[in-house]
Amino acid sequence: MVLTTSLAGRVRNTSLPKSHALLPLLEAIVNAIQAIDARRGDSATPGRINVRVHRDAQAEFDLGQPGPGRAPMKPIVGFTVEDDGVGFTRQNMSSFETLDSDFKSHLGCRGVGRLLWLKAFDKVTVRSAYEDEGGKLRGRQFRFSVEREVEHDGDADGFVRPGTVVILDGFKKAYQQNAPKSVDPIAREVFEHCIWYFLRPGGAPLVTIADDNESVSLADLMGEFVESAMTSSKIEVKGQKFDMLNLRLKTTARNSVPRLHWCAASRVVIEENLSGKVPGLHGKLADKAASEFVYACYLTSDFLDERVRADRTAFDISDRIAGQPLIDDLSLDDIREVVLEEVRTILKAPLESAREQGKKRVHEFVTKRAPRYRPLLAKIEERGITVDPSIKDQDLELQLHRQLQKIESEAFIQGQEIFAEADAEPAEDYAERLAAYLATVSEINQSDLAAYVSRRRTVLVLLGRLIRADKDGKYSREDAIHSLIVPMRTESSEHAADGSNLWIIDERLAFHDYLASDKTLKSMPITGSESTKEPDIVATRLMDSPVLAAEGQKLPLPSIVVVEIKRPMRKDATEDKNPIQQCLDYVKRIRAGGVVTATGRPIPPTHEPPAFCYIIADLTEKMIERCEISNLRPTHDGLGYFGFNDSAKAYIEVMSFDGLVNAATERNRAFFDKLGLPS
């Protein structure tokens, strides 16, 4: 029985990811290089390959990715690849017409390049000239498509020497949209895919990529791309031999991270980012002469050649082998481990320098921006953290935070184990482990305190900015300042215990049983008032019992705190907008209401609970006038007024914004100084 093969079926079953949209073109160029190698042999004269980009003259402009000064381009519809290689000889033609041919298997070819052509293009036209067995120049031309397979069009004329012209036509939209749009990135992708041919002894043919009036020579890219070669390495993994070609690449936007290129059949199959996989290896490195470079490795082996997939986008090798593998089993992870060990040796000096710079970057960041990590920095460094010296602050913060979480998680588990042993006969090292655990807990607590103090410093910096006039002489609205001190239109149950910054006004306000911000008195469950007027902030707190709402038992007289915030430099403290009188009115309404706790438990009637009124406002002429009328005294620094209203039984304090920031900063100065934060 004779088995037949369906070209349409083979093309349909051939894999070509959209991310590899140019792979058919790359295969055509590699074929051209191999054809030149076959004709030239050891000749010192390089061959030539000319690649031309074809665009749709009738279609709309393809704007692609926007950029300054970038001209719109029409969609790419195809490519022409022309070489002066050996041409489509009888053997080459026979191989082309035989699916899964092994004619060039010794070169790593799998006979799938032409299937990739039809996967991404509607049709292919080939014109070629070759020398027959007698040395006579002959020509042939044919078309290749899924529908009609191979159609011969007779002899090709116009050739004066052997060579081939391959026209890839009808670039399918799914691939065309995912391919590079201009000649420069196309040329770079071709170069990186075929770089092995440029690095081998004897070099590569002269390859030019042209598009209208633009053209790029890949030989020029070699000079832009590679700074110099390093020592080649040979490694062995479980009996399999591998060659490592180590390069120093010039630092550019494209060459910014170290890479491992897994190669097969003289092509790059997988490109792997090595950032962070070797301590100190992140981005660019520097040698003793301070010359910067980016490391790249090209890994080749017969083992990889034999196991590359037909579409040349991956290998038929497990990434890792679970359990206890046999000695002959080899995974990508096994190979990678030995490669990385060799990289550590090759780059020993530059990596040491990079690790020192990374350590300096971490220390500088912790000192100036993130003091919370200082108590645990030694433990974090013991875990072997290394960072790119050019890492952004937010990325470094994430890395340090992940390390902190791991330390906290491990300490929790360690504590559980130690406490479980407390009632049993302790092990010999119990005391030592307990001491280590308690030391870690102490450092974690110091870190939490440092984070809290650092947050306070940030809040005060923001407040200082909000009270200044902008470039137009305008001041922030009170709602911006209000939201910084406490979230608007919320109550205690709607935000976390540390969700407000009332400590800016008075440290005692950091502890309260009930807080309502910009809510009508009628909506506050503690008052029972029908008023719809809104104080800025109302807080109640039970003397010596800051957690009354939780305990619900001890019920001494509650205190009432009312805070009014006015816009910086506001000048409307008139009779009907007197913030002092507004606060006293709020106190009166609250005292008149039926007061219950946040859980709904009634508090014994009290007609005169202590009240504290804070007015945050700049001391304009009108505000000073209202303070004097209310018999308030100026503070020693002249930035506020204070006093006691006998009839209302309320302490009143008026604070300017400068006085507010100064007082809060002074109260926290000792903490800021301890952490090295500017105060």
Side-chain angles (χ1 to χ4, degrees), residues 189-482:
E189 188 163 333
V190 172
F191 176 78
E192 291 183 28
H193 183 81
C194 304
I195 192 171
W196 172 252
Y197 292 101
F198 290 86
L199 299 173
R200 66 181 179 172
L206 301 175
V207 183
T208 303
I209 315 291
D211 179 14
D212 292 333
N213 296 324
E214 278 189 279
S215 67
V216 177
S217 169
L218 299 196
D220 294 338
L221 285 183
M222 184 69 177
E224 296 177 12
F225 199 83
V226 180
E227 181 179 274
S228 66
M230 302 175 70
T231 305
S232 296
S233 306
K234 293 185 180 295
I235 59 174
E236 185 172 322
V237 188
K238 294 184 178 180
Q240 298 291 340
K241 292 181 171 56
F242 296 82
D243 292 316
M244 293 172 56
L245 177 62
N246 307 294
L247 296 180
R248 293 162 51 112
L249 304 182
K250 294 182 178 179
T251 56
T252 63
R254 177 66 181 87
N255 299 330
S256 58
V257 296
R259 289 185 173 88
L260 168 61
H261 301 269
W262 301 74
C263 304
S266 302
R267 291 118 158 140
V268 174
V269 177
I270 299 175
E271 184 180 281
E272 179 179 346
N273 188 339
L274 294 183
S275 293
K277 295 182 180 179
V278 174
L281 185 61
H282 297 281
K284 58 188 178 183
L285 297 171
D287 56 20
K288 293 181 180 179
S291 177
E292 293 184 342
F293 66 94
V294 174
Y295 172 76
C297 172
Y298 289 82
L299 185 69
T300 58
S301 169
D302 291 340
F303 179 81
L304 297 177
D305 289 346
E306 293 164 3
R307 287 163 178 78
V308 66
R309 292 181 184 172
D311 58 10
R312 299 192 185 92
T313 60
F315 295 95
D316 286 323
I317 307 173
S318 299
D319 190 56
R320 57 181 53 85
I321 300 173
Q324 297 296 324
L326 298 174
I327 191 66
D328 293 335
D329 289 336
L330 188 59
S331 68
L332 292 177
D333 207 40
D334 293 329
I335 303 169
R336 184 183 295 109
E337 183 179 344
V338 179
V339 168
L340 295 181
E341 188 59 40
E342 182 67 16
V343 170
R344 290 186 185 94
T345 302
I346 295 169
L347 301 176
K348 182 179 179 181
L351 288 177
E352 287 178 353
S353 175
R355 287 193 293 269
E356 282 300 314
Q357 292 178 30
K359 183 177 181 179
K360 182 179 178 181
R361 172 75 172 94
V362 171
H363 279 254
E364 182 181 10
F365 176 73
V366 169
T367 300
K368 296 182 178 179
R369 304 297 300 275
R372 72 168 302 182
Y373 300 108
R374 185 180 297 167
L376 291 161
L377 188 55
K379 277 188 168 57
I380 291 175
E381 290 180 337
E382 287 173 4
R383 304 170 75 88
I385 180 175
T386 62
V387 302
D388 184 349
S390 62
I391 190 173
K392 295 179 180 178
D393 282 356
Q394 57 266 36
D395 295 331
L396 181 52
E397 169 71 33
L398 288 175
Q399 285 202 37
L400 293 173
H401 187 69
R402 280 195 292 267
Q403 296 293 332
L404 175 59
Q405 286 183 314
K406 290 179 182 178
I407 293 173
E408 290 177 337
S409 177
E410 291 169 3
F412 176 79
I413 296 172
Q414 185 183 13
Q416 294 290 333
E417 294 173 349
I418 290 174
F419 296 147
E421 297 179 37
D423 297 328
E425 184 68 26
E428 291 184 3
D429 64 343
Y430 180 80
E432 182 180 344
R433 288 189 293 116
L434 177 60
Y437 166 71
L438 294 176
T440 299
V441 170
S442 175
E443 290 167 347
I444 291 173
N445 290 337
Q446 292 176 43
S447 173
D448 291 339
L449 177 60
Y452 179 66
V453 172
S454 180
R455 177 178 174 275
R456 282 194 168 196
R457 175 61 186 145
T458 301
V459 169
L460 290 178
V461 170
L462 291 175
L463 180 58
R465 292 175 182 173
L466 287 175
I467 66 176
R468 295 198 296 265
D470 61 19
K471 61 181 181 180
D472 298 321
K474 296 181 180 179
Y475 291 88
S476 299
R477 293 176 56 85
E478 48 263 63
D479 54 0
I481 298 172
H482 189 302

Side-chain angles (χ1 to χ4, degrees), residues 40 67 211 358 431 627 646:
R40 301 284 176 177
D211 179 14
C627 290
D646 289 323

Side-chain angles (χ1 to χ4, degrees), residues 81-95:
V81 180
E82 181 178 358
D83 68 71
D84 57 357
V86 70
F88 267 76
T89 62
R90 180 178 57 81
Q91 295 91 340
N92 284 335
M93 191 68 229
S94 175
S95 174

